[in-house]
Amino acid sequence: MHSTPVPSQAGFDEAPFVAQARKGDDRAFAELVKRYEAKIFRLAQHITQNREDAEDVLQETFLRAYEHLDQFQGNSKFYTWIVRIAVNQALMKLRRRRTDKSVSLDESIDTGEDTVTREIAAWDEDPEQRFSREELGEILDSAIQTLAPAYRSVFLLRDVDDLSTEETAEALGLSVPAVKSRLLRARLQLREKLTRYFKRKGDDAFAYM
Amino acid sequence: MLTCKDFLAELSDYLDERIDAELRAKLERHITECPNCWVIADTTKKTIQIYKGMEPYPIPSDVETRLMKALEKKMAAKQR
């Protein structure tokens, strides 16, 4: 889907930039945009499944955030706040594309016995080392694409972006139990997809059954 | 006795270390006795580890340019 990953943003402290931006420092705001634009674009692409819509969502998110910066309470992370804006914008896009207008991240998802555990095979110790960085990126990306949209954004925020369960719930406008049940299903489904690539050589699925 | 279904229901909290010691002990007893659940727990843990911190790809330069232009316009309008 894309080319090379950007440098790690681990340890980035957004607070001083947010404080400066709120005082009217446009350069500080631009710095926040640069820090988060790729993550917001990725999220928007995952929700809208459409590059053009994702670009619109990206722009609208940061323009709205800039315009309404005085409404940001500061008792949650700035990133959580803009994710919430982005999710709302992305859902509006989806609604416009559908005739029934009934899209939400709360749309009915199968809550039956679909905790997927068909493929049971042990993996190598460091299974990802069998693949180049690029191949691995493609495998991981395409596995996420196969998840239902309602699971995708939960997994992306909770496990990839490393938000807490509570922050994920806040950003997506979901309850904590809803986040937890979707996260479990997303994790199990991805585990199943990745087993195809990462299982120990010579081990068959069902080897332990 | 804990069933496999019970184990799976707690798997996320177990891997996130958000359960009390008593339940943890029960779950750990289950995976020593159930190879399938051990494999599921281990490979789910590895799944989470592989994805954790996966950085997004940089946004395409044309998208970046249009975003910055739109933002500059907004900023200029505010200062007037």
Side-chain angles (χ1 to χ4, degrees), chain A residues 94-95 97-103:
Chain A
L94 285 184
R95 263 179 221 121
R97 284 188 181 272
R98 291 196 192 172
T99 42
D100 63 6
K101 315 273 180 204
S102 64
V103 180

Side-chain angles (χ1 to χ4, degrees), chain B:
Chain B
M1 261 309 274
L2 207 72
T3 65
C4 295
K5 206 178 146 197
D6 298 334
F7 178 80
L8 281 182
E10 303 294 341
L11 180 62
S12 263
D13 283 344
Y14 171 65
L15 295 175
D16 293 342
E17 299 182 358
R18 282 172 64 129
I19 47 167
D20 59 47
E22 195 189 339
L23 181 56
R24 166 165 292 273
K26 276 189 195 162
L27 296 171
E28 282 173 353
R29 198 173 326 125
H30 180 79
I31 48 176
T32 58
E33 292 160 359
C34 177
N36 280 344
C37 284
W38 182 84
V39 168
I40 290 168
D42 184 64
T43 53
T44 304
K45 187 172 152 193
K46 285 175 177 158
T47 299
I48 298 166
Q49 281 167 354
I50 288 174
Y51 274 107
K52 190 134 284 181
M54 181 178 81
E55 294 294 337
Y57 295 97
I59 62 176
S61 59
D62 57 324
V63 174
E64 160 91 15
T65 307
R66 286 193 289 271
L67 171 63
M68 286 305 164
K69 274 212 177 107
L71 202 59
E72 278 161 21
K73 205 172 148 195
K74 191 91 177 175
M75 286 171 171
K78 201 172 187 178
Q79 267 142 30
R80 250 180 254 132

Side-chain angles (χ1 to χ4, degrees), chain A residues 64-81:
Chain A
R64 270 166 190 267
Y66 181 77
E67 203 172 339
H68 300 290
L69 199 55
D70 54 335
Q71 288 168 26
F72 170 62
Q73 296 298 320
N75 47 17
S76 63
K77 275 190 203 160
F78 176 75
Y79 181 62
T80 312
W81 185 62

Side-chain angles (χ1 to χ4, degrees), chain A residues 165-201:
Chain A
T165 304
E166 290 72 19
E167 286 164 345
T168 304
E170 188 192 333
L172 296 175
L174 294 171
S175 69
V176 167
V179 167
K180 287 175 120 181
S181 82
R182 284 164 204 213
L183 182 65
L184 174 64
R185 281 153 209 282
R187 285 171 166 180
L188 288 173
Q189 286 181 18
L190 289 172
R191 181 206 75 84
E192 170 123 335
K193 304 276 176 208
L194 296 188
T195 292
R196 261 183 62 205
Y197 301 95
F198 296 157
K199 69 181 169 193
R200 198 182 291 153
K201 291 225 164 69

Side-chain angles (χ1 to χ4, degrees), chain A residues 14 36 39-40 77-83 157 161 163:
Chain A
E14 61 175 32
Y36 294 133
K39 285 184 173 185
I40 295 293
K77 275 190 203 160
F78 176 75
Y79 181 62
T80 312
W81 185 62
I82 57 171
V83 165
L157 294 177
D161 281 355
L163 297 190

